[in-house]
Amino acid sequence: MRKIKIYFVPIAFCDSRKTGSSLELNREYIGLLDVQNNSVEYSDTNGQDWIFYIGDTAQFVDWADKKDLENSDVMLYNVFCDLQKEYDYKGKCVRVDIRNFIKRNHIENDKISHHIV
């Protein structure tokens, strides 16, 4: 899976800030989302690299490039987020895990199962 540009808001630091850092909490930034581990990579203006985790140290805001909405990884991530909200899914954003969860729990929500089958 490739990394996808997103808008996100950091809500907690997972490391100390280095001199010259411009990163602030509760402010919107563009980073690269890895849908498999729900992490966002961000490079600060001072060269410091950051990793944030959606739902833990950052909040997802939106997709940075709307053409990505047709990307299968984006569709999978959207299903992953829906399952977390609606069905308390605790697994990873991996197609086979999500498919098995849907089958095990007899989820027939067209919005969710359509992209996973």
Side-chain angles (χ1 to χ4, degrees):
M1 289 187 184
R2 68 184 180 89
K3 295 181 180 172
I4 302 164
K5 272 188 191 179
I6 65 163
Y7 293 103
F8 76 101
V9 173
I11 56 175
F13 291 122
C14 45
D15 197 2
S16 54
R17 293 171 52 180
K18 294 182 182 173
T19 303
S21 174
S22 63
L23 186 69
E24 297 177 27
L25 296 180
N26 302 310
R27 187 169 161 214
E28 194 172 290
Y29 296 92
I30 293 179
L32 294 174
L33 173 70
D34 181 334
V35 299
Q36 283 196 308
N37 66 8
N38 215 22
S39 67
V40 179
E41 296 176 5
Y42 175 77
S43 293
D44 203 340
T45 55
N46 68 348
Q48 184 175 0
D49 291 327
W50 293 88
I51 300 287
F52 296 95
Y53 293 91
I54 301 297
D56 183 26
T57 55
Q59 294 174 337
F60 174 85
V61 175
D62 200 0
W63 304 105
D65 190 343
K66 297 303 180 196
K67 72 179 179 189
D68 281 330
L69 292 175
E70 298 301 316
N71 177 300
S72 64
D73 292 342
V74 169
M75 290 181 202
L76 179 66
Y77 190 76
N78 285 334
V79 169
F80 169 73
C81 292
D82 288 343
L83 285 173
Q84 285 182 315
K85 284 183 226 168
E86 297 176 33
Y87 299 97
D88 198 33
Y89 178 68
K90 302 288 187 202
K92 294 183 178 180
C93 185
V94 177
R95 191 173 303 278
V96 70
D97 292 355
I98 291 173
R99 186 182 301 125
N100 290 339
F101 180 83
I102 288 171
K103 286 180 183 176
R104 239 186 354 264
N105 292 282
H106 309 288
I107 297 171
E108 296 184 19
N109 182 331
D110 287 339
K111 182 174 104 179
I112 290 175
S113 56
H114 169 76
H115 296 292
I116 289 301
V117 180

